[in-house]
C-alpha cells in the first residue's frame, strides 16, 4: 500500500473535528512523503491546517457552521506530539476549584514542551513552557489543585485555601497533593502543614 493511501485510510478512521499531527502517521512512510500527502489533502479541502504541523478533518455543526476542536484537545495533541506534559493554567484551575471567580481571557496551558500559540478562528490557544515541578501530578485533580496554588501565590495561599481544596477533591487526590510537599515552595508547604495541624488561617 502506498504512503498516500495509508495516510488517507488512517485519516478516514480519525474522528472529524479532532486535531492531529504528522505523528499520527508514524511508520507509514518518510516524513517528506507524509508532509507532501498532508499538503495535497489540505489543498483539496479534505483536511484543514489549523496551526504549524496541526490538522483537523473539517466538521460542520448546526446551521452549516464549521466547528473547531476544543482548546484542551488542541493543547493535548500538540503536547503528545512532543512527548510533553500539559496542565490547565492556574487561573482556570483556581476557577474550577472555586478559589477564584476570575474568568481567564485566553485558553492557556502550561507545558514541559516548547511554547506555542495556535489560532482557532477568533480564539488563541497558548502553550506556555514552565518548570517540570509546576506540572507535577498533571492530568489529575491533584495536579489542577497544585496549578491553582502556584497561580494564587504566596500572599493568597493560606491553610483555609487547603481546606477549600480538601472539600473539593476526592480524599485520595488530596492525599496525593499532600504527599507532593517536596515539589512545593516553602510558603506553600507552610500553609499545607498549618492546615494539617488544624491551625487557623492567617487573616
Amino acid at each position: 500500500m502506498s504512503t498516500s493511501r495509508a495516510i488517507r485510510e488512517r485519516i478516514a478512521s480519525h474522528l472529524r473535528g479532532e486535531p492531529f499531527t504528522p505523528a499520527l502517521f508514524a511508520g507509514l512512510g518518510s516524513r517528506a512523503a507524509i508532509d507532501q500527502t498532508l499538503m495535497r489533502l489540505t489543498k483539496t479541502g479534505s483536511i484543514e491546517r489549523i496551526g504549524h504541523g496541526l490538522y483537523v478533518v473539517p466538521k460542520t455543526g448546526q446551521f452549516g457552521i464549521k466547528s473547531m476542536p476544543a482548546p484542551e484537545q488542541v493543547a493535548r495533541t500538540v503536547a503528545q506530539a512532543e512527548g510533553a506534559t500539559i496542565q490547565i493554567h492556574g487561573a482556570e484551575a483556581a476557577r474550577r476549584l472555586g478559589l477564584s471567580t476570575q474568568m481567564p481571557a485566553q485558553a492557556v496551558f502550561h507545558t514541559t514542551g516548547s511554547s506555542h500559540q495556535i489560532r482557532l478562528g477568533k480564539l488563541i490557544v497558548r502553550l506556555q513552557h514552565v518548570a517540570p515541578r509546576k506540572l507535577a501530578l498533571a492530568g489529575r485533580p491533584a495536579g489542577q489543585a497544585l496549578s491553582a496554588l502556584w497561580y494564587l501565590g504566596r500572599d493568597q495561599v493560606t491553610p483555609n485555601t487547603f481546606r477549600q481544596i480538601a472539600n473539593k477533591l476526592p480524599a485520595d487526590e488530596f492525599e496525593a497533593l499532600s504527599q507532593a510537599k517536596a515539589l512545593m515552595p516553602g510558603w506553600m508547604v507552610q500553609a499545607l502543614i498549618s492546615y494539617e495541624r488544624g491551625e487557623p488561617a492567617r487573616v
Side-chain angles (χ1 to χ4, degrees):
M1 183 186 300
S2 69
T3 297
S4 177
R5 182 177 174 184
I7 289 174
R8 289 171 184 272
E9 289 189 359
R10 186 158 295 181
I11 287 175
S13 64
H14 194 75
L15 289 177
R16 285 182 174 270
E18 285 199 3
F20 61 88
T21 68
L24 179 66
F25 313 107
L28 297 185
S30 68
R31 181 56 191 265
I34 291 171
D35 287 345
Q36 287 174 2
T37 299
L38 293 177
M39 188 182 302
R40 285 197 298 269
L41 292 174
T42 301
K43 286 181 178 179
T44 62
S46 299
I47 63 175
E48 184 176 339
R49 183 177 181 270
I50 58 174
H52 179 66
L54 189 64
Y55 303 86
V56 67
V57 179
K59 180 181 180 181
T60 303
Q62 198 173 12
F63 308 118
I65 299 174
K66 184 168 59 179
S67 61
M68 299 298 284
E72 196 157 348
Q73 280 183 308
V74 171
R76 197 170 305 283
T77 300
V78 171
Q80 285 175 345
E82 290 190 333
T85 300
I86 66 161
Q87 180 60 274
I88 59 171
H89 189 274
E92 175 62 14
R95 188 190 68 81
R96 292 184 187 184
L97 288 166
L99 301 172
S100 170
T101 57
Q102 186 76 24
M103 179 68 75
Q106 290 185 332
V108 183
F109 300 85
H110 284 161
T111 178
T112 54
S114 57
S115 295
H116 288 272
Q117 184 166 294
I118 302 147
R119 184 178 292 277
L120 298 177
K122 295 181 180 180
L123 177 68
I124 291 177
V125 179
R126 289 178 54 218
L127 277 80
Q128 186 177 40
H129 176 80
V130 297
R133 74 168 180 159
K134 290 192 174 183
L135 288 168
L137 307 174
R140 54 189 296 184
Q144 287 192 20
L146 187 58
S147 182
L149 292 164
W150 276 107
Y151 166 74
L152 292 171
R154 181 194 301 267
D155 294 335
Q156 293 188 64
V157 173
T158 69
N160 190 54
T161 308
F162 281 97
R163 187 170 293 107
Q164 290 176 266
I165 291 173
N167 288 334
K168 289 280 187 178
L169 295 187
D172 60 332
E173 288 296 319
F174 187 79
E175 178 62 22
L177 177 65
S178 180
Q179 294 299 317
K181 292 185 180 74
L183 299 167
M184 299 177 181
W187 53 266
M188 197 183 293
V189 174
Q190 184 178 4
L192 175 54
I193 290 175
S194 293
Y195 161 73
E196 292 173 337
R197 290 175 177 170
E199 296 176 13
R202 69 175 188 266
V203 178

PDB file of all heavy atoms in Angstrom, residues 186-201:
ATOM      1  N   GLY A 186       8.551  26.701  49.811  1.00  0.00           N
ATOM      2  CA  GLY A 186       8.381  26.736  51.259  1.00  0.00           C
ATOM      3  C   GLY A 186       7.082  27.350  51.729  1.00  0.00           C
ATOM      4  O   GLY A 186       6.445  26.836  52.657  1.00  0.00           O
ATOM      5  N   TRP A 187       6.662  28.444  51.090  1.00  0.00           N
ATOM      6  CA  TRP A 187       5.440  29.111  51.534  1.00  0.00           C
ATOM      7  C   TRP A 187       4.208  28.231  51.342  1.00  0.00           C
ATOM      8  O   TRP A 187       3.273  28.270  52.159  1.00  0.00           O
ATOM      9  CB  TRP A 187       5.241  30.444  50.804  1.00  0.00           C
ATOM     10  CG  TRP A 187       5.284  30.375  49.311  1.00  0.00           C
ATOM     11  CD1 TRP A 187       6.367  30.577  48.504  1.00  0.00           C
ATOM     12  CD2 TRP A 187       4.194  30.080  48.428  1.00  0.00           C
ATOM     13  NE1 TRP A 187       6.025  30.424  47.177  1.00  0.00           N
ATOM     14  CE2 TRP A 187       4.710  30.146  47.091  1.00  0.00           C
ATOM     15  CE3 TRP A 187       2.847  29.802  48.623  1.00  0.00           C
ATOM     16  CZ2 TRP A 187       3.909  29.911  45.968  1.00  0.00           C
ATOM     17  CZ3 TRP A 187       2.050  29.560  47.505  1.00  0.00           C
ATOM     18  CH2 TRP A 187       2.576  29.614  46.202  1.00  0.00           C
ATOM     19  N   MET A 188       4.210  27.399  50.305  1.00  0.00           N
ATOM     20  CA  MET A 188       3.088  26.507  50.056  1.00  0.00           C
ATOM     21  C   MET A 188       3.081  25.368  51.080  1.00  0.00           C
ATOM     22  O   MET A 188       2.038  24.999  51.623  1.00  0.00           O
ATOM     23  CB  MET A 188       3.169  25.951  48.632  1.00  0.00           C
ATOM     24  CG  MET A 188       1.874  25.343  48.107  1.00  0.00           C
ATOM     25  SD  MET A 188       2.061  24.626  46.429  1.00  0.00           S
ATOM     26  CE  MET A 188       2.348  26.091  45.431  1.00  0.00           C
ATOM     27  N   VAL A 189       4.259  24.826  51.352  1.00  0.00           N
ATOM     28  CA  VAL A 189       4.391  23.747  52.340  1.00  0.00           C
ATOM     29  C   VAL A 189       3.936  24.235  53.710  1.00  0.00           C
ATOM     30  O   VAL A 189       3.233  23.530  54.441  1.00  0.00           O
ATOM     31  CB  VAL A 189       5.844  23.238  52.409  1.00  0.00           C
ATOM     32  CG1 VAL A 189       5.998  22.229  53.547  1.00  0.00           C
ATOM     33  CG2 VAL A 189       6.261  22.608  51.091  1.00  0.00           C
ATOM     34  N   GLN A 190       4.329  25.460  54.068  1.00  0.00           N
ATOM     35  CA  GLN A 190       3.969  26.014  55.371  1.00  0.00           C
ATOM     36  C   GLN A 190       2.457  26.104  55.544  1.00  0.00           C
ATOM     37  O   GLN A 190       1.910  25.740  56.585  1.00  0.00           O
ATOM     38  CB  GLN A 190       4.602  27.390  55.539  1.00  0.00           C
ATOM     39  CG  GLN A 190       4.370  28.012  56.915  1.00  0.00           C
ATOM     40  CD  GLN A 190       5.070  29.357  57.056  1.00  0.00           C
ATOM     41  OE1 GLN A 190       5.665  29.873  56.108  1.00  0.00           O
ATOM     42  NE2 GLN A 190       4.999  29.928  58.245  1.00  0.00           N
ATOM     43  N   ALA A 191       1.774  26.585  54.511  1.00  0.00           N
ATOM     44  CA  ALA A 191       0.314  26.692  54.579  1.00  0.00           C
ATOM     45  C   ALA A 191      -0.331  25.316  54.666  1.00  0.00           C
ATOM     46  O   ALA A 191      -1.307  25.110  55.406  1.00  0.00           O
ATOM     47  CB  ALA A 191      -0.211  27.449  53.357  1.00  0.00           C
ATOM     48  N   LEU A 192       0.216  24.335  53.934  1.00  0.00           N
ATOM     49  CA  LEU A 192      -0.326  22.982  53.961  1.00  0.00           C
ATOM     50  C   LEU A 192      -0.135  22.342  55.332  1.00  0.00           C
ATOM     51  O   LEU A 192      -1.074  21.729  55.879  1.00  0.00           O
ATOM     52  CB  LEU A 192       0.347  22.131  52.878  1.00  0.00           C
ATOM     53  CG  LEU A 192      -0.018  20.641  52.837  1.00  0.00           C
ATOM     54  CD1 LEU A 192      -1.522  20.433  52.762  1.00  0.00           C
ATOM     55  CD2 LEU A 192       0.673  19.963  51.655  1.00  0.00           C
ATOM     56  N   ILE A 193       1.042  22.481  55.888  1.00  0.00           N
ATOM     57  CA  ILE A 193       1.311  21.901  57.210  1.00  0.00           C
ATOM     58  C   ILE A 193       0.426  22.552  58.271  1.00  0.00           C
ATOM     59  O   ILE A 193      -0.102  21.876  59.164  1.00  0.00           O
ATOM     60  CB  ILE A 193       2.799  22.052  57.573  1.00  0.00           C
ATOM     61  CG1 ILE A 193       3.648  21.135  56.677  1.00  0.00           C
ATOM     62  CG2 ILE A 193       3.042  21.720  59.048  1.00  0.00           C
ATOM     63  CD1 ILE A 193       5.136  21.282  56.874  1.00  0.00           C
ATOM     64  N   SER A 194       0.227  23.862  58.154  1.00  0.00           N
ATOM     65  CA  SER A 194      -0.659  24.557  59.098  1.00  0.00           C
ATOM     66  C   SER A 194      -2.074  24.017  59.005  1.00  0.00           C
ATOM     67  O   SER A 194      -2.755  23.822  60.029  1.00  0.00           O
ATOM     68  CB  SER A 194      -0.656  26.064  58.809  1.00  0.00           C
ATOM     69  OG  SER A 194       0.607  26.629  59.081  1.00  0.00           O
ATOM     70  N   TYR A 195      -2.519  23.746  57.785  1.00  0.00           N
ATOM     71  CA  TYR A 195      -3.853  23.155  57.608  1.00  0.00           C
ATOM     72  C   TYR A 195      -3.911  21.777  58.247  1.00  0.00           C
ATOM     73  O   TYR A 195      -4.863  21.437  58.968  1.00  0.00           O
ATOM     74  CB  TYR A 195      -4.211  23.053  56.124  1.00  0.00           C
ATOM     75  CG  TYR A 195      -5.327  22.072  55.869  1.00  0.00           C
ATOM     76  CD1 TYR A 195      -6.641  22.384  56.220  1.00  0.00           C
ATOM     77  CD2 TYR A 195      -5.057  20.805  55.334  1.00  0.00           C
ATOM     78  CE1 TYR A 195      -7.665  21.456  56.023  1.00  0.00           C
ATOM     79  CE2 TYR A 195      -6.067  19.886  55.138  1.00  0.00           C
ATOM     80  CZ  TYR A 195      -7.366  20.210  55.472  1.00  0.00           C
ATOM     81  OH  TYR A 195      -8.365  19.293  55.306  1.00  0.00           O
ATOM     82  N   GLU A 196      -2.884  20.968  58.000  1.00  0.00           N
ATOM     83  CA  GLU A 196      -2.870  19.605  58.537  1.00  0.00           C
ATOM     84  C   GLU A 196      -2.830  19.587  60.065  1.00  0.00           C
ATOM     85  O   GLU A 196      -3.336  18.660  60.687  1.00  0.00           O
ATOM     86  CB  GLU A 196      -1.672  18.841  57.951  1.00  0.00           C
ATOM     87  CG  GLU A 196      -1.806  18.579  56.459  1.00  0.00           C
ATOM     88  CD  GLU A 196      -0.553  17.962  55.835  1.00  0.00           C
ATOM     89  OE1 GLU A 196       0.544  18.128  56.414  1.00  0.00           O
ATOM     90  OE2 GLU A 196      -0.671  17.312  54.786  1.00  0.00           O
ATOM     91  N   ARG A 197      -2.234  20.601  60.633  1.00  0.00           N
ATOM     92  CA  ARG A 197      -2.179  20.699  62.112  1.00  0.00           C
ATOM     93  C   ARG A 197      -3.432  21.345  62.693  1.00  0.00           C
ATOM     94  O   ARG A 197      -3.564  21.446  63.898  1.00  0.00           O
ATOM     95  CB  ARG A 197      -0.960  21.521  62.517  1.00  0.00           C
ATOM     96  CG  ARG A 197       0.378  20.817  62.258  1.00  0.00           C
ATOM     97  CD  ARG A 197       1.531  21.743  62.568  1.00  0.00           C
ATOM     98  NE  ARG A 197       2.820  21.072  62.404  1.00  0.00           N
ATOM     99  CZ  ARG A 197       3.986  21.698  62.418  1.00  0.00           C
ATOM    100  NH1 ARG A 197       4.034  23.031  62.566  1.00  0.00           N
ATOM    101  NH2 ARG A 197       5.111  21.031  62.271  1.00  0.00           N
ATOM    102  N   GLY A 198      -4.304  21.801  61.817  1.00  0.00           N
ATOM    103  CA  GLY A 198      -5.543  22.405  62.289  1.00  0.00           C
ATOM    104  C   GLY A 198      -5.388  23.826  62.753  1.00  0.00           C
ATOM    105  O   GLY A 198      -6.233  24.366  63.492  1.00  0.00           O
ATOM    106  N   GLU A 199      -4.299  24.497  62.308  1.00  0.00           N
ATOM    107  CA  GLU A 199      -4.080  25.882  62.711  1.00  0.00           C
ATOM    108  C   GLU A 199      -5.004  26.806  61.944  1.00  0.00           C
ATOM    109  O   GLU A 199      -5.367  26.539  60.800  1.00  0.00           O
ATOM    110  CB  GLU A 199      -2.616  26.277  62.444  1.00  0.00           C
ATOM    111  CG  GLU A 199      -1.625  25.488  63.269  1.00  0.00           C
ATOM    112  CD  GLU A 199      -0.186  25.823  62.919  1.00  0.00           C
ATOM    113  OE1 GLU A 199       0.037  26.829  62.220  1.00  0.00           O
ATOM    114  OE2 GLU A 199       0.729  25.075  63.349  1.00  0.00           O
ATOM    115  N   PRO A 200      -5.429  27.920  62.559  1.00  0.00           N
ATOM    116  CA  PRO A 200      -6.346  28.836  61.889  1.00  0.00           C
ATOM    117  C   PRO A 200      -5.659  29.537  60.723  1.00  0.00           C
ATOM    118  O   PRO A 200      -4.438  29.716  60.710  1.00  0.00           O
ATOM    119  CB  PRO A 200      -6.716  29.841  62.987  1.00  0.00           C
ATOM    120  CG  PRO A 200      -5.550  29.812  63.926  1.00  0.00           C
ATOM    121  CD  PRO A 200      -5.094  28.380  63.925  1.00  0.00           C
ATOM    122  N   ALA A 201      -6.452  29.903  59.724  1.00  0.00           N
ATOM    123  CA  ALA A 201      -5.904  30.629  58.570  1.00  0.00           C
ATOM    124  C   ALA A 201      -5.468  32.024  58.977  1.00  0.00           C
ATOM    125  O   ALA A 201      -6.095  32.656  59.818  1.00  0.00           O
ATOM    126  CB  ALA A 201      -6.963  30.712  57.469  1.00  0.00           C
TER     127      ALA A 201
END
